[in-house]
Amino acid sequence: MTKFIALFYGILAMLLIAVISYSMQKSEEKFIPSRTIGVVLKAMDSEHWLSVRSGMIQAAQQNNMRLIVITAENETVFAEQNKIISDLLDNGIDALIVSPTNINHTQEFVDAAREKNIPVFSIDEEIAGIAYVGSNNYAIGEKAAEFMIKNLPEGAEVSVISGSANQNAHIHRTLGFVNYIEKNSSLRIGKTMAAETQYRQAMTQAEKLLRERPNTQGIFVTSAIMTLGVIEVADNLMIVGVDTQNDAIMAIKNGKINTLISQDGHESGKLAIEVVAAHLNKQPVEKYNFISNELITAENAEEFLLQEDF
Amino acid sequence: MKIVWNMRLKMFLAALVINVLAIIFAMLLFYHYSAEYFYSEYANSLYERVYIGAKNADAGFQKIYRANLDISFDDDIKTSLASQNYPKIASKLKTYREKNPLADDIYIFMPDKKILIRSEEYNSVQKLDDKDSVAWQNIIDNQSGMRPIFAENILNPAEKKIFLYKAEISGENAFVTTQISERGLYYNFIDDLGSDNSNIALMFDAAGNIISQSRAYSTLNKKDFISAEVEMPFSHFKITLLVNRKKIESKIIFMQILSVLGVIFILILSTFLIYVLSAKLNEPVENLAQIMQDVGHGNFSLRAKVEGNDEIGYLAERFNHMLDNLENEKILKRQAELNALQYQIRPHFIYNTLNSIRFAAMIQGAKNIGELLANFIELLQVSTNREGEFGTLAEEISTLKKYVALQEFRLMNSFAVDFNLAEETLSCRVPRLILQPFVENSILHAPSPEKTFCRIIISSEISNGKLIISILDDGKGISPEILENLSAKPSDKKAHGGFSGIGVSNIKERLKLYYGDSGEVLCESDGKTYTKISIYLPAEVIK
């Protein structure tokens, strides 16, 4: 009999819970991402930056963040970029990710952000005193050098066509390459040239280089878009480039470029957002956050081609 | 109709009650969660819709902001401004406007010169009057950065509502402004959301003012609507979509009806199943009950069907076992009755034989023997008489006299019995053969070598409503040790040569049984010259 009474009360309690839970129906509210990350990139005119943005958008969705992604017209207009950054800092963002077009004009917005207590992160381009996300550019240069040493006869002459001298990435890549060659091999550095990180400029620089130093056997080009320009004029040379982008990888498959050091934009975009999320969640963040850089050759080109979202 | 509360009904009802509760509970839960799920899914899809609209609108704002900034950094425009080549600037603005379809028009305003260059074909370079110049300056002063302002375009004859971005051309004291018409934005991004008549789409600025809407909002009761709101991170405007609750409530009602129908259907189905099940479960119990009823009516040959290894099976089996036992006992009882009849026959045979002997003695002239036999037969009859444990004192005395006569024949001249009986005691009720053991004791044990002849006096009287019968002999008496032994309980008694005492204690027990404490036997003796037994009984006169 006591069992029946217990059962009865049990059922009663269950009904009560049901009724209570029914009456406490939740209001239809959806969680709205509460953090806004401002992102200012160098440009949107290359595949690399498109994939950086894609990686960022994906990671931001996973971390419940909103993104404002703005780019300057091209990589040269630092004044416009700085204006955009200052407007962005006024627009209630929680963190700023910048890939500055000119490393000599970053202090202004870094100070402004510090004043507004907005954390700043740099992607692909190092800014002094700011957490960095992207490739280890010095190591990229070394990797390129290693490949050249392995594949060129002793005493061969190699040159560098570098991107903007106002950008740390290109400077470090060149430095890494040159230092490695000089320290570890009998190869000679012919000439290191810098140009705007653009297709056309790279082409004219390459023409100039081949005119001035006809014995050149290998060229290290510090960006993929420039590499594509260089191969227009340089035939039968050892060409090493940087970046993971499909047009350049296709050129590897066609034998026009010997190798590319990978720099997966998607990966660095994703990593950047994760680093920002960690910082906003009060977790410690490293000063340098490197993505992996690998050699892309004709053998594994297909693999890297598939990695892209396009 | 009278409801019979049998097991089947009780079980059925109990199962039904639990079932109904469980089903209602489950359905309530199901309905609750499905409704909640439905609501949240609906809200999600609503949010998703607004989110996409807001994202596009925000992208539109961002594009205009960028275009406006680009113009302010345009080197061609800068040099043309310096050389005051305004028509060239106007055509440049026109190409910019063509690149940005969302832009309504683009102005470059030089406040100190009060010159306005527009992206229009007609009248593209204007000299503003003081009033317009100041007013326009006031309007564009409010805007900076990425948040557009919502204003009225006073420079346009139609005075339409616009969103505006401003950028300064550095070093020239000239301001580029790009205007987006409110209607243009609305039809590009918001109209889609509010396309249904029951939906309302609104855009608010950061301060919460309505800046664009599908229809009049203020007249509506907010409670009638479900809302989804998305804040745009770039422009800090908000887009809200209101959907009339009625629209989804009809779906909820449909779901309610569906759940109720589900409950009813499951109830009917389960009721049927429970009924069948309880009938099936109760079948053995009902069978057993029926068998028990029939057996109760005297049909002992029936046996219950033993089904299953459960309690009911066990009950049926034990019941059958009990019936078997009952039947055995009946047979034994009949046997006993037969035996008893046989035992009754035997004494008759004995009496008849003894009577024949007696008559033979009489015929042969041995009258003495005949009388003795007559006495003996009568005594036998009394001692084996089964009818009635009680008789009158007179009957008891008459029996006693026959016994005495027989003993006198056995033990010549060793005793004499005198009777001293009160008349009123003779019709009193006494247990049969109550005096004989005491008299026997006196006859057998009173005489001693010193005194071979004893006198026994049997007397009776009624005193204080008690019948007192006493047996007094003048024999050797009883030693105090034996006397003490006599008054002890029968079970404590030791066997004793000569005087067993069993007869005496038997009498005591019988009296105790018949009368409780009001019947007793007292023994007195000095151990030398007399023994007196007194029997106290309630005096009951038989009418």
Side-chain angles (χ1 to χ4, degrees), chain B residues 410-426:
Chain B
R410 267 183 73 204
L411 313 161
M412 299 274 198
N413 295 324
S414 71
F415 70 93
V417 182
D418 291 332
F419 292 93
N420 179 21
L421 304 167
E423 185 63 35
E424 69 266 25
T425 61
L426 288 180

Side-chain angles (χ1 to χ4, degrees), chain A residues 95-99 119-123 127 130-131 133 272 275-276 279 285:
Chain A
L96 178 69
I97 301 175
V98 186
S99 180
V120 181
F121 300 82
S122 65
I123 181 165
I127 303 173
I130 299 293
V133 179
V275 167
V276 171
H279 177 84
V285 167

Side-chain angles (χ1 to χ4, degrees), chain A residues 4 7-8 11 14-15 17-19 21-26 28-33 36 57 61 65-74 77 79-81 83-85 87-93, chain B residues 14 18 21-22 24-25 28-29 31-33 35-36 39-40 43-44 47-48 51 55 58 62 65-66 69-70 73 99 144-147 166-168 226-227 229-236 245 256:
Chain A
F4 272 103
L7 191 71
F8 180 73
I11 290 166
M14 264 152 65
L15 280 175
I17 289 164
V19 168
S21 68
Y22 189 70
S23 59
M24 276 173 27
Q25 226 182 32
K26 279 181 245 156
E28 314 87 51
E29 266 178 32
K30 188 173 157 81
F31 177 69
I32 294 160
T36 309
I57 288 170
Q61 257 168 11
M65 292 168 161
R66 297 187 298 190
L67 287 184
I68 301 174
V69 184
I70 309 177
T71 50
E73 185 75 332
N74 58 53
V77 200
E80 191 176 349
Q81 194 188 44
K83 167 78 175 134
I84 289 170
I85 292 172
D87 280 351
L88 205 50
L89 291 173
D90 285 337
N91 205 28
I93 54 171
Chain B
I18 290 168
L21 286 177
I24 289 174
F25 174 72
L28 221 67
L29 219 65
Y31 170 72
H32 168 61
Y33 283 112
E36 194 170 271
Y39 261 113
S40 82
N44 272 358
Y47 177 83
E48 217 53 47
Y51 179 77
K55 202 172 138 189
D58 219 27
Q62 184 174 339
Y65 162 82
R66 283 289 287 111
L69 207 62
D70 282 348
F73 279 92
K99 275 200 281 181
S144 73
M146 294 170 171
R147 303 181 192 199
K166 175 196 79 180
E168 190 180 357
I226 295 171
S227 72
E229 185 181 81
V230 174
E231 196 198 346
M232 299 185 273
F234 186 83
S235 60
H236 286 266
R245 273 183 195 278
Q256 275 171 338

Side-chain angles (χ1 to χ4, degrees), chain A residues 174-228:
Chain A
T174 308
L175 216 59
F177 180 82
V178 171
N179 287 350
Y180 195 89
I181 293 270
E182 282 175 351
K183 225 181 260 171
N184 299 302
S185 77
S186 57
L187 299 187
R188 288 176 295 118
I189 300 289
K191 200 171 166 132
T192 64
M193 315 170 83
E196 297 299 347
T197 319
Q198 281 173 5
Y199 185 85
R200 176 65 52 189
Q201 261 96 334
M203 221 168 107
T204 50
Q205 290 290 321
E207 272 174 343
K208 198 173 141 199
L209 173 76
L210 291 179
R211 239 190 350 263
E212 286 177 14
R213 306 202 69 95
N215 292 331
T216 301
Q217 285 186 278
I219 306 176
F220 172 47
V221 193
T222 61
S223 114
I225 198 153
M226 291 172 79
T227 316
L228 290 171

